[in-house]
């Protein structure tokens, strides 16, 4: 394990140096020179050319003529560098003003080299690793001519039914802000014009993750305070990290579709946050405002989107077909169009496209370099969460042991890459089966799928699986859900393990052999029953290209698991929405007084159980809490101290504590800091994450750790929607998950 750690550190340092070398010191941020060039260009443009810049079309053939006429400003989904170069040449040399194209693509968690799904990357709680992952994805993508990704997706996701939770960074505004900002920096680098950088896009502004019932594209109802305190912070963090584009959501919020939402794009994004990049619609989202019943026809849809501040229309043509008329009728102002075009062109200058929009022959298709694969493995390693490990079932230490590797996800090169892998190269994938055989030898790994796919509904494969299981010393069941069961438009109302997996696990359990459950999935699944049957459980998400190797290292003890949940795992789907930063309610549940439904006496008096906020069939606690994750070693938190007990507004709380590795082997722990504002002008969450740190500790090692918590970080929106920090008492905790118990109080005086 030690050797592995040293190797990991070397690999990481190498990657950090590599990415630092790849960025030049000239930043691509706004400067007077660019502003002057933008102004000059826009002043020469005809109305049709301006409209062209506001139109994005899907790749493919047949666009040459329109590009020549300046009628297209952007293409999405073209990843052939030869074709992209050809189209850029037409734009540069044959169109009247020579304006290059911005080429967009969903580069979500890797390009050819696939990293864990974003929710998995969030489980690393490691912003630097997340930054490196985005940087590698950018480098691979730009080598095809793509210069803009539609990522990061930073929609707060509290609902595991929603398929797009896979693409999110979880339920917490602080964690999603830190990791989202890291992704922005990774994609964009320090110099947007570098041939290793692409423009990032913060999406989906805003509130898309609150889709009612977890059903994709559904309406959202987000109270203004919750919007400001929970849903918007990651987007503000993306702006602060320098993100150059935003995408409007498909959803409506309280009746106003995001794509036509002046409050979001004019007031918040541009006025309050001073964002000066550009906004792209989502696919056909201006047009879809007709379906929303927010626009009577395409013309009205275009008017509402443009006036709300959406610069570019993706895929549909409501802008192209209606802007001229809208201007003639005075429904859209000329200055609105000019400003929309300026913002697009500015980003094209920043990307260096006017100087060189081409990919040199020597730099084309630079994929899957060894250091990229190493980073993908590192990310997969840190993303896997050990949820249970009874009797030290893991790691499987003796090399003489026979392992039965069973299950529909154990050898699926495509499925383990997860959702959003338009460009992912499944031939690069290392599956758990391959990695386990490489590590143990063919004869030590007995493999049977048991089920063809995760949704298989018959038991024909059980016999063979059980036969092998009986011959083995330990069973590793590798199941979950295939890639297609999560992601856009793939919401589920039931989030149990699909197909007959539960039945197969029951049969495997009957063998009496130690049973390890590995779940590869795009969302938290309700695995309470299966977890109870298993001796050990690893949540591996969809771990990407190197997932098998990472998993084998963890199973065999070459690496120590260190992932932590970025989202609460409910016991039952009916508990959703369930998140750690909930409100207390007037009648909070009492952990000691909950009576399970089947234990309630017959004809029990109405109030005999107490009137508390819980479910009589599921209680009030989750299956696994936010921030949770075990290790092969154990950690102890002690000596929590604050530098003072009473603070003023401008001060910083210095939180220090001791973290000890109390086990026999080295490991990494993600230490977490939570705060509660005990009394507020409005009710406040029971806990809020305010800091975290990944700490590596040798066996027995003790470290003094500290967090800095500026008092300003305690701000929230009060009854009058003013952002305030209020005087009063605060409780603070440090620990390894959101149930941390080591606590101190402090006071804020005004
Ligand atoms: C629709 C999705 O909502 C969005 O996230 C994506 O970037 C676009 N399609 C483009 O593929």
């Amino acid at each position: 394990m030690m050797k592995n750690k040293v190797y990991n550190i070397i690999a990481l340092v190498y990657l950090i140096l590599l990415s630092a070398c790849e960025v030049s010191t000239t930043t691509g941020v706004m400067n007077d020179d660019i502003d002057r060039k933008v102004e000059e260009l826009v002043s020469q443009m005809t109305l049709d050319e301006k409209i062209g810049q506001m139109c994005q079309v899907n790749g493919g053939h047949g666009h040459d003529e329109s590009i020549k006429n300046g009628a297209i400003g952007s293409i999405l989904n073209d990843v052939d560098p030869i074709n992209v170069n050809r189209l850029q040449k037409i734009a540069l040399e044959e169109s009247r003003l020579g304006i290059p194209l911005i080429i967009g693509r969903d580069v979500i968690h890797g390009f050819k080299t696939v990293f864990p799904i974003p929710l998995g990357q969030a489980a690393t709680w490691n912003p630097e690793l997340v930054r490196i992952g985005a940087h590698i994805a950018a480098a691979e993508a730009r080598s095809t001519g793509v210069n803009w990704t539609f990522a990061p997706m930073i929609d707060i996701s509290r609902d595991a039914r929603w398929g797009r939770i896979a693409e999110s960074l979880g339920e917490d505004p602080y964690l999603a802000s830190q990791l989202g900002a890291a992704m922005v920096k990774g994609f964009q680098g320090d110099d947007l014009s570098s041939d290793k950088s692409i423009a990032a896009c913060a999406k989906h502004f805003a509130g898309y993750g609150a889709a009612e019932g977890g059903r994709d594209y559904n309406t959202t109802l987000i109270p203004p305070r919750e919007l400001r305190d929970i849903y918007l912070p990651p987007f503000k963090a993306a702006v602060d990290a320098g993100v150059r584009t935003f995408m409007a959501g498909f959803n409506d919020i309280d009746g106003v579709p995001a794509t036509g939402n002046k409050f979001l794009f004019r007031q918040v994004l541009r006025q309050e946050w001073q964002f000066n990049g550009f906004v792209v619609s989502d696919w056909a989202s201006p047009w879809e405002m007709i379906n929303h019943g927010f626009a009577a026809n395409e013309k009205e849809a275009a008017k509402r989107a443009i006036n709300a501040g959406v610069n570019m229309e993706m895929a549909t043509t409501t802008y192209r077909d209606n802007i001229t008329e809208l201007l003639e009728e005075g429904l859209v102002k000329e200055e609105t169009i000019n400003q929309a075009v300026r913002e697009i062109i500015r980003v094209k200058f920043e990307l260096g496209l006017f100087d060189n929009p081409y990919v040199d022959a020597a730099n084309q298709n630079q994929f899957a370099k060894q250091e990229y694969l190493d980073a993908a493995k590192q990310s997969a390693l840190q993303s896997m969460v050990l949820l249970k490990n009874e009797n030290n079932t893991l790691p499987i230490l003796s090399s003489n042991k026979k392992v039965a590797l069973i299950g529909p996800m154990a050898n699926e090169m495509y499925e383990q890459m997860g959702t959003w892998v338009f460009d992912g190269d499944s031939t690069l994938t290392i599956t758990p089966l391959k990695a386990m055989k490489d590590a143990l030898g063919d004869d030590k790994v007995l493999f049977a799928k048991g089920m063809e796919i995760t949704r298989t509904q018959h038991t024909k494969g059980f016999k063979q699986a059980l036969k092998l299981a009986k011959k083995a010393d330990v069973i590793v069941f590798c199941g979950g859900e295939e890639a297609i069961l999560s992601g856009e438009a793939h919401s589920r109302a039931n989030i149990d393990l699909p197909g007959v997996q539960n039945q197969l696990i029951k049969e495997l359990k009957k063998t009496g052999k130690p049973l390890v459950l590995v779940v590869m999935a795009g969302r938290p699944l309700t695995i309470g029953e299966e977890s109870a049957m298993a001796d050990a459980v690893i949540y591996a998400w969809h771990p990407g290209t190197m997932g098998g190797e990472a998993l084998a290292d963890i199973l065999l003890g070459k690496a120590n698991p260190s992932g932590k949940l970025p989202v609460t795992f409910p016991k039952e789907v009916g508990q959703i929405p369930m998140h750690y930063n909930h409100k207390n309610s007037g009648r909070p549940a009492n952990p000691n007084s909950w009576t399970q439904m089947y234990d309630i006496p017959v004809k029990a008096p109405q109030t005999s159980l107490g009137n508390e906020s819980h479910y009589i069939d599921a209680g009030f606690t989750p299956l696994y809490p936010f921030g949770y994750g075990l290790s092969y070693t154990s950690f102890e938190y002690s000596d929590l101290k604050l530098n003072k007990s009473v603070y003023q507004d401008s001060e910083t709380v210095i939180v220090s504590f001791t973290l000890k590795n109390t086990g026999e082997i080295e490991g990494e722990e993600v230490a977490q800091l939570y705060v509660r504002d005990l009394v507020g002008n409005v009710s406040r969450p029971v806990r809020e994450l305010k800091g975290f740190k990944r700490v590596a500790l040798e066996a027995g090692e003790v470290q003094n750790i500290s967090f800095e918590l500026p008092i300003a970080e305690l701000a929230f929106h009060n009854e009058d929607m003013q952002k305030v920090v209020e005087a009063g008492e605060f409780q603070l905790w440090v620990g390894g998950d959101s149930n941390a118990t080591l606590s101190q109080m402090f006071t804020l005086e005004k």
Side-chain angles (χ1 to χ4, degrees), residues 504-569:
L504 180 51
I505 293 167
K506 273 189 186 134
E507 293 302 320
L508 293 170
K509 175 75 181 163
K510 284 186 196 155
T511 63
K513 304 280 166 87
L515 176 62
V516 179
L517 171 63
V518 175
V519 182
M520 290 189 182
R523 56 160 67 75
L525 293 172
T526 39
I527 51 166
E529 197 188 347
E530 295 83 4
S531 295
M533 285 189 273
D535 299 286
V537 181
I538 294 176
Y539 219 82
W541 317 101
H542 287 131
T545 305
M546 300 302 288
E549 254 190 45
L551 181 69
D553 280 4
I554 287 178
L555 289 172
L556 302 175
K558 288 188 200 149
N560 194 347
S562 59
K564 298 274 187 176
L565 297 179
V567 62
T568 303
F569 272 45

Side-chain angles (χ1 to χ4, degrees), residues 680-723:
N681 160 281
V682 292
S683 64
R684 307 284 297 121
V686 294
R687 286 189 188 199
E688 292 175 283
L689 181 72
K690 292 292 178 190
F692 60 88
K693 252 181 203 167
R694 199 170 239 281
V695 187
L697 292 162
E698 299 294 337
E701 187 182 342
V702 179
Q703 275 188 35
N704 296 321
I705 314 286
S706 62
F707 285 118
E708 291 193 1
L709 173 64
I711 290 294
E713 292 284 314
L714 302 171
F716 64 97
H717 288 85
N718 69 7
E719 216 180 342
D720 303 321
M721 288 304 291
Q722 287 161 333
K723 195 169 181 185

Side-chain angles (χ1 to χ4, degrees), residues 317-549:
T317 58
T318 71
Y319 282 19
R320 171 174 307 155
D321 299 341
N322 295 289
I323 289 180
T324 309
E325 220 172 284
L326 288 167
L327 280 169
E328 280 164 9
E329 291 171 19
L331 296 170
V332 169
K333 295 203 179 84
E334 200 184 336
E335 179 47 24
T336 306
I337 299 295
N338 287 343
Q339 186 55 19
V341 173
R342 268 182 212 120
E343 288 165 351
I344 295 169
I345 298 220
R346 184 184 291 141
V347 174
K348 292 187 175 184
F349 271 111
E350 290 167 13
L351 279 163
L353 301 178
F354 283 89
D355 296 329
N356 180 12
Y358 307 113
V359 197
D360 301 343
N363 289 334
Q364 286 172 12
N365 299 333
Q366 298 292 310
F367 306 136
K369 295 182 181 171
Q370 189 55 48
E371 63 264 29
Y372 297 176
L373 297 170
D374 292 346
K377 178 171 173 185
Q378 209 29 248
S379 183
L381 272 172
Q382 294 191 14
S383 74
M384 293 187 186
V385 186
L386 181 67
L387 295 175
K388 178 178 178 183
N389 193 17
E390 269 174 13
N391 310 317
N392 296 326
T393 304
L394 290 177
I396 304 164
L397 285 177
S398 163
S399 53
N400 289 326
K401 281 191 180 157
K402 272 205 164 70
V403 178
L405 187 57
I406 310 290
M409 292 295 281
N411 193 32
E412 298 304 316
M413 295 172 89
Y414 175 76
E415 303 301 344
Q416 77 177 51
M417 295 196 302
T419 187
W420 275 132
V421 285
F422 286 161
D423 305 288
D425 181 353
S426 64
T427 64
L428 296 169
T429 300
I430 300 190
T431 65
L433 178 63
K434 166 147 179 36
M436 289 294 277
K437 281 190 164 175
D438 286 351
L440 297 178
D442 284 5
D443 56 326
K444 295 277 168 11
V445 184
L446 311 175
F447 169 62
K449 287 176 85 164
M451 301 165 61
E452 283 113 46
I453 57 172
T454 66
R455 286 168 288 158
T456 296
Q457 285 177 297
H458 61 76
T459 59
K460 286 180 204 148
F462 282 23
K463 201 168 155 202
Q464 172 67 0
L466 289 166
K467 191 171 133 201
L468 296 186
K470 283 175 192 152
K471 287 190 196 156
D473 300 296
V474 51
I475 303 168
V476 176
F477 176 82
C478 202
E481 54 179 9
E482 301 137 64
I484 194 66
L485 299 188
S486 61
E488 185 177 348
H490 296 95
S491 295
R492 295 180 57 192
N494 174 321
I495 53 171
D496 290 344
L497 283 169
V500 288
Q501 292 183 76
N502 173 286
Q503 248 174 287
L504 180 51
I505 293 167
K506 273 189 186 134
E507 293 302 320
L508 293 170
K509 175 75 181 163
K510 284 186 196 155
T511 63
K513 304 280 166 87
L515 176 62
V516 179
L517 171 63
V518 175
V519 182
M520 290 189 182
R523 56 160 67 75
L525 293 172
T526 39
I527 51 166
E529 197 188 347
E530 295 83 4
S531 295
M533 285 189 273
D535 299 286
V537 181
I538 294 176
Y539 219 82
W541 317 101
H542 287 131
T545 305
M546 300 302 288
E549 254 190 45

Side-chain angles (χ1 to χ4, degrees), residues 76 106 150 164 167 203-204 208 247 250 282-283 314 420 422 488:
L76 79 160
D106 290 287
F150 305 125
R164 298 197 81 166
E167 201 187 332
K203 73 184 188 186
H204 306 83
Y208 182 32
M247 187 186 290
F250 282 129
D282 204 337
W283 186 283
M314 184 191 288
W420 275 132
F422 286 161
E488 185 177 348

